[in-house]
Amino acid sequence: MTRVLIVDDEALARERLRTLLSSELDVTIVGECSGGREAVTAIVQQRPDLVFLDIQMPDLDGFQVLEAVAMDWLPAVVFVTAYDEYAIQAFDVNAMDYILKPIEPARFKKALGRAVKRGPLDRLVIRAGGKVLFVKPGDIDWIEADGKLAQVHVGRETLAVRIPLKRLEERLEPHGFVRVHRSAIVNVDRIRELEPWFHGEYVVILKDGTKLTSSAAHSQALHRIVDTAE
Amino acid sequence: MTRTRRLWLLGLAVWIVLGLMSAAQNATWRAYTDRPIDWGSILPNSLGDWLTCGLFTPAFYWMVRHFPIRGERWWARLAVHLAGSIAFTLLKVSIWTPLFNAINPDAHRTYSQILFAGFYGDMLAYWAAVGVIHAIEYYGESRERTLEATRLALDNLRAQLQPHFLFNTLQSISTLIHRDPAAADRMLTDLSELLRLSLRSPGSKEVPLREELEFLERYLQIMRVRFGDRLVIAVHAEPNVMDVPVPSLVLQPIVENAIQHGMADRTDRGHVQVRAARDGSALRLEVFDDGPGPSATPSSNGIGLANTRERLRRLYGPDGRMDILQDKGFTVRLQIPLRS
């Protein structure tokens, strides 16, 4: 059973989606929201599998909603938009699907099928240069704190996000990230070698040649990695 | 670029056809006067003569571009072309004479012989070419104008009715069709009327306030259906101002802004009020919303309001004004002079 949330600021638009969903057997509607803020709360609390999400809403737009929830729970998303220009420019279409208003039933069915198959998304939502990126945790090399921002290094790109490092650490720990320093977390996969330094500290050398010095306080986690590696 | 190339090929074809026609004319005359028809001589002479004229096609174009025979003082440019046609004839014969003598080795014609034999024919070729080029230019311009008019009408439509508005309304209709066909029908009629009026030619046209409010009412009807209880819109107009001419479609974009403001960033009900009243020797139109004001949504509507202010200034000079008042809400106030 796929648990679906409907988000649109217009009642008739929600009704249309409800009607279309009512003929689907394996779908249950867990809620409807008429605004972005309401949607953030509902997604975090209900953890739906799939959200039909309007892009233009008076309080928060669809992308802001995803940005706000992505650290907790990012469901599969089908954007529902009145005008394509905005949608197509702004996001990576591989991660998200979209349908246009007025909704064509066949197109709706296709998008629903794809989204159900895809399931909830394990991605970080990062806005960079006018684009909305859906970043796979496994694609991140390392992250450094930079004042109120965190700089996320993904291949050659560095993306700034306004999320505390502590939260990023909690979110990424299950994906094999480890804190090496007060202001850096690293994808263990990207570590080429650890050079022992003084006082149980290490110099962490990444596959791309980046060198980070671990601090004593955070070396324990690295100890464990070295131990399991040996 | 392809259009230019097509034009050049067309030009070449025209000169060849003229040459062939002249050859046919020559042959017919010979047949009529019982002389032998020697195509080997007729064709190169006729084609050569006309293609030599054809060499000047770029010059003809240049002359038409720089001295089009129309508009003010067209007769002065006519004189330029008269001089041009004589210059052309003199030059053309100076090229054609050696060519003619090469094609007809036994003829030994002089420059003046050829000039006087063909003077009016060459002059005529000049004027015909210039006439045809004028026609081509006219055609291109009129097509351009039609396209421009269509573009303007579409821009106007887009300015009045945002694509978002359009598609969201269609979405509402597609919902209502299943549940309440009569309501869907009404909404469709309202939308059609809005589209029809928006597609009317743009410009500074004025309509009686009554008509402007009817148009607005169609728009508001749609917004009420779409937003239900979340939006309360009221229109108050004094009966004595209903016939005052106002710029056509001036209110709807402002009301659209007010609705966006009024509903932004809130989950309770937004209020929008439209008021029309007489104020001394002016009509005062006010659009009020109780939203947090434009600071909450900075980017979207500055341009729309600036356009309105500019339009009023153009139409009414210093008597036409637009003011923005911010006090427990946001009011756009338009001042339009009453004219007897």
Side-chain angles (χ1 to χ4, degrees):
Chain A
M1 197 56 106
T2 304
R3 300 169 65 252
V4 177
L5 182 74
I6 297 173
V7 181
D8 197 303
D9 62 327
E10 296 186 32
L12 286 170
R14 295 196 297 275
E15 182 183 332
R16 176 79 176 131
L17 284 167
R18 204 160 57 227
T19 316
L20 285 165
L21 284 167
S22 67
S23 58
E24 298 293 330
L25 295 175
D26 284 333
V27 166
T28 171
I29 299 171
V30 296
E32 288 185 21
C33 306
S34 64
R37 297 241 167 79
E38 206 186 325
V40 171
T41 315
I43 291 170
V44 171
Q45 284 174 0
Q46 309 252 4
R47 301 208 157 203
D49 302 305
L50 168 62
V51 177
F52 283 94
L53 185 57
D54 186 15
I55 295 182
Q56 278 238 318
M57 288 180 291
D59 53 352
L60 294 180
D61 73 29
F63 299 118
Q64 289 170 319
V65 169
L66 293 186
E67 248 182 318
V69 301
M71 291 299 290
D72 294 300
W73 176 255
L74 190 62
V77 174
V78 175
F79 284 115
V80 186
T81 178
Y83 189 49
D84 53 354
E85 206 172 50
Y86 192 14
I88 291 163
Q89 280 172 3
F91 69 87
D92 158 23
V93 196
N94 296 319
M96 305 275 152
D97 211 345
Y98 67 93
I99 51 181
L100 297 173
K101 299 173 184 177
I103 299 166
E104 182 192 355
R107 179 79 182 79
F108 167 82
K109 252 187 154 7
K110 213 166 136 191
L112 176 67
R114 271 204 292 243
V116 166
K117 213 167 113 191
R118 185 182 278 145
L121 294 168
D122 200 0
R123 307 271 182 125
L124 296 188
V125 180
I126 300 177
R127 236 180 241 257
K131 280 215 156 211
V132 179
L133 305 172
F134 298 90
V135 181
K136 283 185 200 154
D139 290 345
I140 298 171
D141 302 324
W142 64 288
I143 303 175
E144 61 183 321
D146 175 13
K148 282 188 177 162
L149 298 176
Q151 302 287 351
V152 180
H153 298 268
V154 186
R156 284 195 199 126
E157 280 185 282
T158 304
L159 310 165
V161 294
R162 203 168 280 279
I163 303 172
L165 204 61
K166 180 87 190 123
R167 284 213 70 196
L168 284 164
E169 185 187 1
E170 285 162 12
R171 171 77 171 74
L172 293 172
E173 208 176 1
H175 294 279
F177 281 72
V178 63
R179 169 93 74 146
V180 298
H181 188 268
R182 190 171 46 83
S183 58
I185 43 182
V186 171
N187 186 343
V188 173
D189 246 10
R190 299 295 196 280
I191 298 178
R192 193 173 64 200
E193 55 181 301
L194 295 174
E195 273 179 20
W197 202 241
F198 303 108
H199 313 300
E201 292 171 13
Y202 292 93
V203 174
V204 183
I205 304 171
L206 303 188
K207 285 177 180 161
D208 66 0
T210 307
K211 284 186 187 177
L212 304 164
T213 312
S214 78
S215 61
H218 295 98
S219 288
Q220 259 197 340
L222 280 171
H223 266 306
R224 273 200 299 278
I225 293 161
V226 177
D227 290 345
T228 39
E230 277 165 358
Chain B
M1 230 37 222
T2 50
R3 184 179 134 83
T4 319
R5 232 173 98 183
R6 265 211 313 275
L7 276 176
W8 284 118
L9 283 175
L10 181 74
L12 184 65
V14 167
W15 292 112
I16 288 174
V17 167
L18 283 169
L20 291 175
M21 278 168 69
S22 147
Q25 163 74 60
N26 201 334
T28 313
W29 178 242
R30 280 170 173 268
Y32 183 70
T33 53
D34 287 330
R35 282 183 289 171
I37 300 169
D38 177 8
W39 287 108
S41 158
I42 294 173
L43 273 178
N45 272 304
S46 302
L47 280 173
D49 195 0
W50 285 98
L51 285 173
T52 309
C53 293
L55 286 178
F56 289 83
T57 312
F60 298 152
Y61 256 104
W62 189 90
M63 288 294 283
V64 173
R65 287 265 159 82
H66 289 80
F67 306 101
I69 306 172
R70 63 186 197 200
E72 269 175 59
R73 287 169 58 85
W74 59 270
W75 39 269
R77 289 189 287 274
L78 194 69
V80 173
H81 280 283
L82 193 64
S85 64
I86 293 169
F88 157 73
T89 306
L90 297 176
L91 263 170
K92 184 247 162 180
V93 174
S94 72
I95 296 171
W96 177 230
T97 304
L99 283 173
F100 178 86
N101 285 324
I103 296 168
N104 310 283
D106 304 328
H108 305 298
R109 296 267 177 85
T110 63
Y111 177 86
S112 4
Q113 278 172 330
I114 291 184
L115 180 66
F116 287 113
F119 186 81
Y120 290 102
D122 287 336
M123 289 279 278
L124 223 79
Y126 176 93
W127 287 101
V130 162
V132 168
I133 293 167
H134 267 90
I136 291 172
E137 296 276 289
Y138 259 124
Y139 172 72
E141 277 171 34
S142 92
R143 241 173 53 139
E144 205 39 52
R145 263 199 300 277
T146 318
L147 281 176
E148 188 57 31
T150 316
R151 256 199 301 276
L152 273 175
L154 283 176
D155 283 351
N156 191 42
L157 175 67
R158 209 167 308 158
Q160 297 294 334
L161 300 178
Q162 302 288 323
H164 268 111
F165 168 79
L166 191 57
F167 291 114
N168 276 317
T169 304
L170 288 171
Q171 163 87 343
S172 302
I173 294 170
S174 90
T175 308
L176 286 171
I177 284 174
H178 302 279
R179 169 161 60 77
D180 187 351
D185 209 353
R186 276 197 301 277
M187 205 166 183
L188 200 55
T189 318
D190 286 334
L191 182 63
S192 305
E193 201 53 32
L194 287 179
L195 285 174
R196 216 185 322 275
L197 290 170
S198 298
L199 279 170
R200 264 195 330 212
S201 66
S204 55
K205 243 176 70 181
E206 291 178 284
V207 296
L209 180 63
R210 185 190 317 281
E211 264 180 49
E212 181 65 12
L213 290 177
E214 277 165 19
F215 177 84
L216 186 67
E217 195 46 49
R218 299 258 183 198
Y219 173 74
L220 293 179
Q221 216 35 53
I222 288 175
M223 295 311 259
R224 286 190 189 110
V225 175
R226 276 175 53 193
F227 291 102
D229 312 339
R230 290 177 47 213
L231 185 63
V232 182
I233 311 169
V235 180
H236 302 287
E238 286 177 2
N240 61 348
V241 292
M242 289 305 244
D243 294 319
V244 176
V246 300
S248 143
L249 308 185
V250 74
L251 278 175
Q252 183 268 338
I254 299 173
V255 172
E256 187 167 6
N257 272 349
I259 290 175
Q260 262 172 28
H261 282 159
M263 303 219 320
D265 225 8
R266 67 196 294 169
T267 41
D268 60 335
R269 199 168 285 186
H271 292 80
V272 173
Q273 280 167 24
V274 181
R275 292 183 287 258
R278 205 179 152 150
D279 178 20
S281 63
L283 165 68
R284 182 191 274 183
L285 292 173
E286 284 181 342
V287 178
F288 163 85
D289 72 76
D290 65 349
S295 50
T297 45
S299 59
S300 51
N301 12 49
I303 296 168
L305 291 180
N307 281 348
T308 304
R309 178 173 281 145
E310 173 59 24
R311 203 168 159 212
L312 291 179
R313 204 187 51 76
R314 256 202 326 257
L315 269 172
Y316 308 110
D319 293 338
R321 293 181 42 163
M322 189 193 85
D323 298 301
I324 291 172
L325 316 167
Q326 240 171 322
D327 177 34
K328 287 180 201 156
F330 187 72
T331 304
V332 177
R333 177 186 290 167
L334 307 183
Q335 197 126 319
I336 292 167
L338 298 172
R339 287 184 292 204
S340 47

